[in-house]
Amino acid sequence: QVHLVESGGGLVQAGGSLRLSCAASGSIFSINAMGWYRQAPGKQRELVALVNSRAVTNYADSVKGRFTIPRDNAKNTVDLQMSSLKPEDTAVYYCYVDRVILTTRTRVDDSWGQGTQVTVSS
C-alpha cells in the first residue's frame, strides 16, 4: 500500500481559500488515481475530487468551479485548492490513491490518509 500524509487543514472564514496537500510514499509504483474525499459530522464519506494518471478529473457537483486538484506525478503529490469556501464544506478531508497493473488497468489496492480537519466559519 501507499503511505499518505496530508497537511494544510485548518480554520477559514466563509469565502476564503485553503490548500490541502497530500504526499505519497512507500509502494508508489503504478499509482493511478489521486484525490480527496470528505466526511462531515453525521454524514457519509463523499467524493470531493479525483484525478487519474491521464489527467481525467472528477469533481463533486457541490465543489465544481470552486475547487481544483493539482497533481504532480514526479513528486507523487496531490493538492486540493479550495476557494469560495462555504460552511457546508466543513469536514474531515481524506487523501486517496489507488494503484493499477498498467498493462491491464486491474486495481491493485486503495490507500487512505489519516484525514485533516477543515472548518469553515460563517
Side-chain angles (χ1 to χ4, degrees):
Q1 287 189 304
V2 179
H3 179 62
L4 302 174
V5 177
E6 301 130 325
S7 62
L11 176 65
V12 65
Q13 294 185 39
S17 298
L18 199 65
R19 190 179 181 104
L20 307 182
S21 184
C22 176
S25 62
S27 300
I28 60 174
F29 67 93
S30 298
I31 289 177
N32 178 43
M34 302 187 74
W36 297 87
Y37 289 71
R38 68 186 181 187
Q39 187 167 20
K43 297 184 178 180
Q44 298 295 311
R45 188 174 299 188
E46 65 175 356
L47 172 71
V48 178
L50 204 65
V51 57
N52 71 12
S53 61
R54 295 183 293 180
V56 177
T57 56
N58 185 19
Y59 292 92
D61 288 342
S62 60
V63 308
K64 287 180 179 177
R66 300 189 298 120
F67 292 8
T68 61
I69 184 166
R71 175 176 177 173
D72 189 329
N73 292 328
K75 296 181 179 179
N76 296 305
T77 62
V78 63
D79 291 355
L80 185 67
Q81 178 62 55
M82 304 182 289
S83 300
S84 301
L85 283 162
K86 304 174 181 180
E88 50 262 45
D89 294 318
T90 296
V92 177
Y93 284 70
Y94 297 89
C95 185
Y96 167 88
V97 306
D98 66 28
R99 299 191 297 157
V100 300
I101 299 171
L102 295 179
T103 54
T104 64
R105 315 307 293 179
T106 303
R107 186 182 65 85
V108 175
D109 57 22
D110 301 335
S111 299
W112 294 89
Q114 293 297 307
T116 185
Q117 177 71 44
V118 172
T119 302
V120 183
S121 64
S122 59

